[in-house]
Amino acid sequence: ETAVQASDVTKVYGSGDAAVHALRGVSVGFARGAFTAIMGPSGSGKSTLMHCLAGLDTVSGGRVTLGDTEITGLDDRRLTLLRRERVGFVFQAFNLLPTLTAEQNILLPLKLAGRAPDPRWRDHVIETVGLRDRLGHRPSELSGGQQQRVACARALVSRPEVIFADEPTGNLDSRSGAEVLGFLRSSVRELGQTIIMVTHDPVAASYADRVVFLRDGLTVAELRDPTPETVL
Ligand code: ADP
Ligand code: ADP
């Protein structure tokens, strides 16, 4: 079963002589319950692809579907709703609210959406994130790795169809990065979450089930069950 599908997606920034062809016909599917990494050199189109898949940006050509919904062509209002209700994001900057505790940060999206958390799922997420004794702490009292795990738990708690993670370990040292990647991987293994992660770090990519390589706006290779050595 496919969670997200890109079919012949193109993206052009600007026009005429100044046009940049960031994506030149990308077709790739992402299975439900899988952890996929997107890798490639700087400027190869990774962020552009992620933004098009997540409905943060519109495509120039081709189609993107999320589950059964073709998102290409949806207006801004519908895209905003779709992102809010069906997609989770983790960014390089943790984007936690400093005055709220870890637990309040995790539960905030549900609160804003006026949705009651499914108590079993919430407990699963909090168990998996491994911060039981830190739930009452504010972000400033947590390490970078702990803060990013809170941000991941916040993305997970509404049980989105897919989580998009853009360089989630970019601001972390390798030990904290490993904590976050371990949490993302256990959320796939133990909670069945679907994750699509952009990274340029081979160690980060090795936590995924599959790596898709981009170059010059095209997918050029794929690797299953990557290790840091095979990704390089
Ligand atoms: P990556 O994430 O792999 O570094 P990007 O998707 O950010 O690659 O960029 C792909 C190409 O598109 C690059 O040539 C980049 O300069 C260009 N690009 C990205 N965003 C914009 C934009 N908003 N306007 C113009 N060009 C852009
Ligand atoms: P950078 O690539 O400079 O590190 P980020 O990864 O934080 O920046 O964000 C990349 C893009 O994702 C931004 O240009 C912005 O449009 C979008 N973005 C960032 N944070 C959010 C958010 N919390 N919700 C929705 N979109 C966001």
Side-chain angles (χ1 to χ4, degrees), residues 13-14 20-22 40-49 198 214:
Y13 292 109
V20 175
H21 295 261
S42 183
S44 58
K46 303 183 295 296
S47 295
T48 301
L49 177 60
V198 165
L214 285 187

Side-chain angles (χ1 to χ4, degrees), residues 9-11 13 20-26 37-50 167 198-200 211-221:
V9 168
T10 60
K11 178 69 181 179
Y13 292 109
V20 175
H21 295 261
L23 298 175
R24 299 190 293 133
V26 171
I38 299 173
M39 289 195 80
S42 183
S44 58
K46 303 183 295 296
S47 295
T48 301
L49 177 60
M50 198 200 84
E167 299 281 6
V198 165
T199 185
H200 64 264
V211 184
V212 173
F213 294 90
L214 285 187
R215 180 177 289 269
D216 295 335
L218 289 171
T219 55
V220 290

Side-chain angles (χ1 to χ4, degrees), residues 6-205:
S7 305
D8 203 20
V9 168
T10 60
K11 178 69 181 179
V12 186
Y13 292 109
S15 59
D17 287 348
V20 175
H21 295 261
L23 298 175
R24 299 190 293 133
V26 171
S27 297
V28 59
F30 299 89
R32 204 172 290 292
F35 185 4
T36 309
I38 299 173
M39 289 195 80
S42 183
S44 58
K46 303 183 295 296
S47 295
T48 301
L49 177 60
M50 198 200 84
H51 289 181
C52 290
L53 296 175
L56 287 167
D57 205 349
T58 56
V59 303
S60 305
R63 299 194 311 152
V64 175
T65 52
L66 173 70
D68 292 332
T69 312
E70 179 167 351
I71 71 169
T72 341
L74 293 184
D75 59 28
D76 282 347
R77 191 183 60 83
R78 289 219 166 97
L79 279 178
T80 303
L81 273 176
L82 178 127
R83 285 197 305 267
R84 192 180 299 154
E85 291 172 358
R86 298 175 58 183
V87 175
F89 292 98
V90 178
F91 294 98
Q92 194 168 331
F94 320 131
N95 299 337
L96 299 178
L97 291 182
T99 59
L100 299 186
T101 65
E103 183 168 28
Q104 289 167 336
N105 268 288
I106 292 171
L107 296 177
L108 187 64
L110 289 174
K111 196 168 176 194
L112 292 177
R115 281 166 60 193
D118 168 353
R120 283 192 46 213
W121 177 258
R122 179 198 59 203
D123 290 348
H124 263 317
V125 169
I126 286 176
E127 196 61 45
T128 312
V129 78
L131 293 173
R132 265 213 185 281
D133 55 338
R134 293 280 189 285
L135 287 176
H137 290 55
R138 293 186 211 292
S140 61
E141 300 164 323
L142 300 173
S143 71
Q146 289 170 339
Q147 289 183 58
Q148 189 64 306
R149 278 192 281 156
V150 169
C152 293
R154 179 183 55 186
L156 268 166
V157 80
S158 55
R159 209 167 190 164
E161 288 172 46
V162 53
I163 288 179
F164 292 95
D166 194 354
E167 299 281 6
T169 58
N171 281 337
L172 301 175
D173 60 47
S174 59
R175 195 176 130 262
S176 306
E179 279 173 24
V180 168
L181 292 160
F183 173 57
L184 289 176
R185 186 159 64 184
S186 48
S187 73
V188 172
R189 296 283 180 278
E190 285 156 40
L191 307 173
Q193 183 61 51
T194 305
I195 298 181
I196 301 174
M197 171 177 74
V198 165
T199 185
H200 64 264
D201 175 8
V203 174

